[in-house]
Amino acid sequence: MQEAIILYALGALAAAAALPRLRARLELSQAKHPSLTGHARLARRIAALVPFYEYDESRFFGCDGAPAQVAARRRDGFMRLAALYCARYARTAALTSQAAENISDLQFTGAYRVPFQFSRYVREQLRVGAFLESSSGVTVTDLDGNRFYDLTGSYGVNVFGYDFYKSCIDESAARVRGLGPVLGAYHPAVAYNARRLREISGLDEVSFHMSGTEAVMQAVRLARYHTRRSHLVRFCGAYHGWWGDVQPGVGNPVPARDTYTLKDMHADSLRVLRRRRDIACVLINPLQALHPNAGAPGDSSLVDSARRAHFDRERYTEWLQELRAVCSERGIVLIFDEVFVGFRLAPGGAQEYFGVRADMVTYGKTLGGGLPVGVVCGRADLMKRFREDRPADVCFARGTFNSHPYVMGAMQIFLERLETAKIRALYANLDAHWDDRAQRLNLRLFEAGLPLQVANLSSIWTVYYTRPSRYNWMLQYYLRAEGLALSWIGTGRLIFSLDFSDDDFAAVCDRFVTASQAMQQDGWWWADAALTDKSIKRGILREIITQRLRAR
Ligand SMILES: Cc1ncc(COP(=O)(O)O)c(C=O)c1O
């Protein structure tokens, strides 16, 4: 009897001891977004199960159950486009095909431009060139002499227009030529840049790196070093470069064990931050304000019309304030990853735009004045790479090309010009200006009875579709035919440089509407009552399961 009591007591003690851990585990699970994007490990496992299959020609044009005459219209439209591409982009496409044989990046971007079931057929028929001859103003020109309005924004680098960056680079070359490519020692531009970046970020110290990915790596490494905690928190869907720890899940063969991916803009995540003791830092990519909890909106995952986006500045500001408060309370390092949005939303970046201060900020892309760069700004106590009282305990970071004179020169010119009246004028009423442009395009699309709209965060736009369809990704090919250049991820990301004049924008709008009308006329947006986003997803799941079973 006595033994039983002791056993019960021990059992109760063990349960009481396990309870907090259990609760912490439960809270962590609750703070995960219910989507697969929110469950990195599961997503990886499921992704590994998806077998390759592709549609034959008849399925290609009618996989949504459209009537035969609609499928025939689609085929005619597709072949018309194919003939146009073949004639118009011949030289560019030929060099692209040839180069792709040995350039793995081209093979990858080519294959993942559209959903995989359609990919090969599209690649064979609609050959998109990866080469350009020149840029001028807001346009780029390919090897066949075709001019396109550039909506790629060069991955966001191009904030002020290509001519601006060309002259930053040319002037930099002239300024630093005396020193040339000497590394290790600094060109005086470095001192200027550090001083200006301190002013802009409101933070004490600066370090220079060679890419945004590296800047993020260094910020996280320092946060771990100084807090002596293991984990970083990132929010579901946010991109922070391709380093493993910030890119858990699909795309990263190594599991990121020291990363928590939590729900963006949600109290459950704040609870985790408040309770756990192993969190070193929280990474924010303010671009997510446009589509919280969703990944980069690439057309390769555009299998239906479920993609949505909407930017609510007030709500996102509140969220950042909540995060700021909990991070301060818990000694967690709050890192704003402004590699994409820094200098695009405001001259002082997202900190200025949202009125919230971070402990560390990463910059990159446009800050290099057209050359590759990554920067970390941070509080002095977080940036230090060694401990005064432990000489062997250091947080190592180097990089052969960091502070390269040519990059530092271009950055200096970028920062000098940021102060000029001409550049400051571009920021005047920036949001109102781009919101108005987005609304005008939306009105035209709506009035033309077209099933698509755009949502925007200032000059960063995304297209979403208002009628269930399996073929939305076709729009990128119609847009190209109308002279609008998109990056390989397609219609999920249109990035404008701030030098688009009203006339340029009107031309983009006209072309956008014309392209959408052509796509509508060719039957791609046919839908009946039975076609819903759910039914599309279910159909694809069925195909995948059938393929899996067949492969056994
Ligand atoms: C928010 C953010 N962080 C980091 C990176 C990585 O920068 P890079 O491509 O220069 O390595 C990117 C790139 O798109 C980004 O958007």
Side-chain angles (χ1 to χ4, degrees):
M1 176 70 181
Q2 212 174 358
E3 266 176 21
I5 290 172
I6 291 171
L7 274 178
Y8 274 129
L10 281 176
L13 266 176
L19 219 59
R21 283 179 61 193
L22 218 70
R23 194 178 67 175
R25 189 74 204 93
L26 195 70
E27 281 174 356
L28 197 57
S29 297
Q30 278 172 338
K32 289 188 176 181
H33 193 258
S35 64
L36 268 184
T37 320
H39 289 76
R41 222 172 281 166
L42 185 65
R44 248 162 40 101
R45 275 198 210 123
I46 291 182
L49 294 176
V50 176
F52 177 77
Y53 65 94
E54 59 189 339
Y55 296 146
D56 60 17
E57 244 198 78
S58 96
R59 191 108 181 98
F60 185 100
F61 295 105
C63 68
D64 54 354
Q69 73 270 25
V70 173
R73 250 163 67 208
R74 289 172 178 168
R75 182 182 279 105
D76 290 348
F78 188 89
M79 293 310 170
R80 194 185 67 241
L81 266 188
L84 183 146
Y85 270 53
C86 193
R88 203 186 270 174
Y89 311 131
R91 274 189 67 203
T92 315
L95 185 60
T96 305
S97 303
Q98 191 191 328
E101 283 173 24
N102 324 96
I103 301 178
S104 47
D105 199 42
L106 274 186
Q107 292 165 19
F108 178 78
T109 53
Y112 286 88
R113 212 172 264 278
V114 306
F116 68 86
Q117 298 90 338
F118 302 97
S119 180
R120 192 200 310 254
Y121 191 70
V122 172
R123 251 178 295 150
E124 281 166 6
Q125 304 291 335
L126 301 173
R127 295 197 299 156
V128 175
F131 289 88
L132 291 173
E133 187 77 56
S134 62
S135 66
S136 170
V138 293
T139 63
V140 288
T141 303
D142 72 7
L143 312 188
D144 298 88
N146 300 295
R147 276 180 99 188
F148 300 87
Y149 281 102
D150 181 74
L151 307 184
T152 73
S154 281
Y155 296 119
V157 168
N158 184 13
V159 178
F160 298 126
Y162 288 124
D163 298 331
F164 172 94
Y165 298 93
K166 282 182 190 175
S167 71
C168 284
I169 293 168
D170 288 348
E171 251 184 65
S172 167
R175 257 195 219 181
V176 307
R177 183 163 295 124
L179 180 60
V182 176
L183 298 170
Y186 290 154
H187 185 277
V190 173
Y192 174 90
N193 294 338
R195 181 173 62 73
R196 288 287 295 117
L197 284 167
R198 285 187 51 211
E199 287 164 6
I200 288 166
S201 66
L203 292 160
D204 309 316
E205 291 188 14
V206 181
S207 66
F208 297 102
H209 307 274
M210 291 147 294
S211 69
T213 299
E214 269 190 275
V216 171
M217 272 169 66
Q218 171 64 353
V220 172
R221 178 183 278 206
L222 283 165
R224 285 173 164 155
Y225 176 66
H226 288 291
T227 59
R228 298 176 198 269
R229 300 176 192 163
S230 54
H231 279 67
L232 75 90
V233 163
R234 65 182 276 274
F235 291 104
C236 178
Y239 184 69
H240 295 285
W242 62 279
W243 166 49
D245 279 20
V246 292
Q247 197 224 8
V250 181
N252 175 8
V254 181
R257 293 204 175 87
D258 293 334
T259 301
Y260 294 132
T261 297
L262 305 184
K263 267 185 280 194
D264 211 347
M265 301 181 77
H266 205 285
D268 287 346
S269 301
L270 295 177
R271 192 174 334 127
V272 168
L273 295 176
R274 217 166 264 130
R275 292 264 171 79
R276 294 193 79 92
R277 300 212 185 117
D278 56 353
I279 296 172
C281 59
V282 173
L283 264 176
I284 291 290
N285 177 356
L287 177 61
Q288 290 302 110
L290 183 57
H291 42 70
N293 292 305
D299 280 3
S300 67
S301 57
L302 196 58
V303 296
D304 58 15
S305 299
R307 180 155 93 195
R308 284 291 173 274
H310 171 67
F311 172 50
D312 182 340
R313 183 170 179 175
E314 220 171 284
R315 178 68 199 93
Y316 198 72
T317 304
E318 276 168 26
W319 166 243
L320 292 183
Q321 287 165 343
E322 286 167 343
L323 274 177
R324 177 64 277 175
V326 78
C327 286
S328 299
E329 186 188 310
R330 300 292 299 158
I332 297 169
V333 180
L334 180 61
I335 305 171
F336 277 14
D337 179 0
E338 298 202 28
V339 168
F340 199 116
V341 298
F343 304 99
R344 182 171 280 277
L345 301 181
Q351 289 193 104
E352 176 188 325
Y353 184 79
F354 291 107
V356 177
R357 313 301 307 181
D359 301 311
M360 296 179 117
V361 180
T362 56
Y363 300 108
K365 296 202 191 255
T366 192
L367 176 59
L371 295 178
V373 83
V375 165
V376 182
C377 296
R379 281 183 359 220
D381 61 313
L382 293 171
M383 295 291 281
K384 203 169 174 67
R385 297 184 191 170
F386 56 93
R387 302 191 205 279
E388 302 285 356
D389 58 344
R390 296 276 187 280
D393 183 5
V394 295
C395 182
F396 185 82
R398 301 300 305 156
T400 301
F401 285 105
N402 92 42
S403 309
H404 191 289
Y406 283 75
V407 177
M408 289 296 119
M411 185 188 292
Q412 178 171 5
I413 291 155
F414 175 92
L415 290 169
E416 285 168 0
R417 292 194 186 168
L418 196 61
E419 294 306 299
T420 59
K422 187 172 165 209
I423 292 295
R424 287 286 161 156
L426 290 173
Y427 288 103
N429 296 320
L430 190 65
D431 275 6
H433 189 56
W434 286 97
D435 290 351
D436 176 63
R437 285 180 168 180
Q439 275 167 24
R440 268 189 282 148
L441 176 57
N442 279 338
L443 189 66
R444 284 191 60 185
L445 293 168
F446 178 76
E447 284 177 348
L450 293 161
L452 70 164
Q453 293 278 280
V454 297
N456 71 306
L457 165 61
S458 204
S459 52
I460 307 164
W461 293 23
T462 189
V463 179
Y464 64 93
Y465 301 85
T466 55
R467 188 186 304 156
S469 171
R470 286 213 62 182
Y471 294 100
N472 294 318
W473 48 266
M474 268 301 292
L475 181 63
Q476 57 169 288
Y477 297 95
Y478 282 87
L479 292 175
R480 178 164 282 267
E482 286 302 320
L484 300 179
L486 269 54
S487 88
W488 69 275
I489 73 161
T491 59
R493 198 65 95 229
L494 315 184
I495 305 171
F496 291 90
S497 48
L498 304 188
D499 61 334
F500 263 82
S501 68
D502 286 340
D503 284 347
D504 293 328
F505 183 72
V508 168
C509 261
D510 288 344
R511 290 164 186 230
F512 199 97
V513 173
T514 305
S516 306
Q517 279 169 330
M519 176 150 159
Q520 167 128 303
Q521 273 153 21
D522 287 341
W524 299 100
W525 280 316
W526 167 90
D528 68 3
L531 192 72
T532 63
D533 288 332
K534 244 190 201 158
S535 75
I536 290 172
K537 282 203 186 81
R538 238 182 269 136
I540 295 171
L541 187 63
R542 220 175 294 126
E543 287 170 7
I544 288 174
I545 293 171
T546 312
Q547 287 298 326
R548 275 292 303 177
L549 294 177
R550 222 176 261 168
R552 285 186 160 203

